[in-house]
Amino acid sequence: MAIEGVDLIKAAAFLGAGLAMGLGAIGPGIGEGMAAAKACEAIGRNPKEAGLLTRTMLVGQAVSESTGIYSLVVALLLLFVV
Amino acid sequence: MELDVQTWLKIAAFSGGGLAIGFGAIGAAIGEGHTAAKANHAISRNPEMAGDVFKSMLVGQAVAESAAIFSLVIALILLFSEFSATSFIMVWAVFSAGLCTGLGAIGSGIGAGYPAGAACEGMVRQPEMSNRLTTNMLIGSAVCQTPSVFALVVSFILIYTDYSTKPMWPMWAAVLGAGLSAGLSAIGAGIGSGLVAQSSCEGISRQPKATAIATNSMLLGQAITQTTAIYGLLISFILLFKNYPASDAIAPAMALLGAGLCMGIGGIGPGIGEGITAQSAVTWIVRNRESAGEITRTMLVGMAVSESTGIYSMVIALILLFVV
């Protein structure tokens, strides 16, 4: 089996895309879970502020999500652009 | 030196069997150690309850042990079965089967230790709730075992499939990817479900009146925590049962391996994160039952956002499987 440069580059891009998204999902998954855990705790302590707390949780999670989205973008770039 | 298929098969089966029980022993040992620590703590508070606590510790540890026993079974099958194969794919399949059960047992072992520890401490706090606590612990730790059962199922399929008509390239990467997908994604779901069950057992012992709601919200939280393990199982089934055209190129094989790795590793984070969310939600639903609706809503929204990266991983895995 002859190894061609183009084939090898594509293989690396595919493997890289999988690793990028897989590893990139760990941090946001755990981080957003912690944010939501604290929001549940806060609503338990002060149910009147449920709306405000949920809003704050979502904003915080959105920021925490950003690195996951970077991973997704890089994975898609590796798959379709590079 | 040219080695034939049978020699490679033995090499793969022995190294796979070693990895199966090696990885598989991690989780159960940590989980059972946690349970024993909590049981000691509980007995020191009320030595008169020593007998009950001891019994419940052993029951909890037995459940936590089951994932390690799955690994032991696969390891023994790999060591003592006479595999006869004509295809080199089988070499990768037995290695992948070992990795799959081994990795899949880590989360369930650690996870099942948490509710058992909480039940031991709880029955010292509320001796009259002992039976209810044991039941809740058993339900909770049984759910923790499901991801390791998924991994076990994938391992059996890997070992007992006939690969003789499949092309070596890229099928070898598909079997390796399938094992990694089901095995790695089970880690997060197992640990996460354990955290939820822990807070439920703790809640029952602190607020005996909230027993029903503690069990119900535990099951809801655990069900959502399991989703990433189910994605992992789905991707490994697709990897195993899809038909691939034979190809001499490396890229298609790496796409399949990449899909398995992506879903497997990508399932770890959301599983743990959703477990942390549901743990806190169950604790506070029990303490503040009037606000159960509001807390459950926020829990579901928070878990859905935490799930998103797991879904991204599944999307990338599906693109790797079907598009590129």
Side-chain angles (χ1 to χ4, degrees):
Chain A
M1 195 173 88
I3 295 176
E4 287 174 34
V6 183
D7 180 30
L8 207 57
I9 290 170
K10 258 188 133 177
F14 291 162
L15 203 56
L19 283 175
M21 190 60 246
L23 292 171
I26 298 178
I30 298 178
E32 288 164 21
M34 284 179 171
K38 284 291 167 189
C40 290
E41 181 184 330
I43 291 174
R45 285 185 201 274
N46 188 357
K48 283 192 195 114
E49 294 294 341
L52 176 67
L53 288 165
T54 309
R55 206 158 55 232
T56 313
M57 175 194 83
L58 283 174
V59 174
Q61 285 185 319
V63 178
S64 173
E65 178 84 12
S66 59
T67 53
I69 295 176
Y70 299 161
S71 305
L72 179 71
V73 169
V74 168
L76 289 173
L77 285 174
L78 280 168
L79 289 177
F80 295 114
V81 180
V82 182
Chain B
M1 187 176 64
E2 256 323 284
L3 300 180
D4 63 351
V5 179
Q6 287 307 320
T7 315
W8 278 113
L9 206 48
K10 278 261 172 264
I11 294 170
F14 290 164
S15 40
L19 286 174
I21 191 61
F23 280 127
I26 297 176
I30 295 178
E32 287 163 30
H34 177 87
T35 310
K38 291 284 178 195
N40 275 324
H41 190 220
I43 291 175
S44 77
R45 282 198 187 169
N46 185 357
E48 281 165 22
M49 294 276 295
D52 287 340
V53 172
F54 186 69
K55 237 184 304 180
S56 134
M57 177 189 86
L58 285 180
V59 173
Q61 287 179 322
V63 180
E65 185 83 15
S66 59
I69 295 175
F70 298 162
S71 305
L72 183 68
V73 168
I74 292 290
L76 291 176
I77 289 176
L78 291 179
L79 290 186
F80 296 113
S81 289
E82 284 298 325
F83 296 109
S84 63
T86 47
S87 168
F88 269 99
I89 300 169
M90 192 64 195
V91 174
W92 288 98
V94 290
F95 183 70
S96 173
L99 266 183
C100 183
T101 3
L103 293 171
I106 296 177
S108 298
I110 298 178
Y114 293 138
C120 289
E121 287 210 310
M123 62 182 48
V124 166
R125 204 177 285 136
Q126 293 283 357
E128 67 274 21
M129 293 303 287
S130 293
N131 287 335
R132 197 67 190 85
L133 271 170
T134 309
T135 314
N136 195 65
M137 171 193 84
L138 286 176
I139 298 172
S141 38
V143 178
C144 291
Q145 302 301 322
T146 46
S148 72
V149 177
F150 294 165
L152 183 73
V153 168
V154 170
S155 298
F156 275 125
I157 295 175
L158 279 165
I159 294 176
Y160 294 111
T161 302
D162 177 21
Y163 299 102
S164 54
T165 58
K166 305 268 186 180
M168 174 67 190
W169 287 80
M171 190 65 198
W172 71 269
V175 295
L176 190 57
L180 287 171
S181 173
L184 286 169
S185 67
I187 298 177
I191 297 178
S193 308
L195 291 172
V196 187
Q198 178 187 31
S199 64
S200 169
C201 287
E202 215 175 281
I204 289 175
S205 71
R206 285 187 194 275
Q207 303 277 345
K209 281 185 193 143
T211 302
I213 200 165
T215 307
N216 291 344
S217 47
M218 171 186 83
L219 287 175
L220 177 66
Q222 283 188 318
I224 302 174
T225 307
Q226 300 286 334
T227 48
T228 47
I230 297 174
Y231 298 162
L233 185 72
L234 178 77
I235 293 292
S236 66
F237 278 170
I238 296 175
L239 279 165
L240 283 173
F241 297 122
K242 192 169 175 268
N243 279 320
Y244 308 100
S247 141
D248 259 358
I250 301 171
M254 286 306 129
L256 300 178
L257 185 59
L261 271 176
C262 180
M263 190 61 250
I265 303 174
I268 298 176
I272 298 178
E274 287 166 29
I276 296 174
T277 305
Q279 178 188 28
S280 162
V282 171
T283 305
W284 284 92
I285 286 172
V286 169
R287 286 196 202 174
N288 187 351
R289 265 165 289 157
E290 295 85 55
S291 308
E294 245 135 33
I295 298 173
T296 309
R297 201 158 55 233
T298 307
M299 174 189 90
L300 289 176
V301 174
M303 287 173 112
V305 179
S306 174
E307 179 88 11
S308 59
T309 49
I311 295 175
Y312 298 165
S313 301
M314 186 168 68
V315 168
I316 294 292
L318 290 174
I319 291 177
L320 281 165
L321 278 166
F322 291 108
V323 181
V324 296

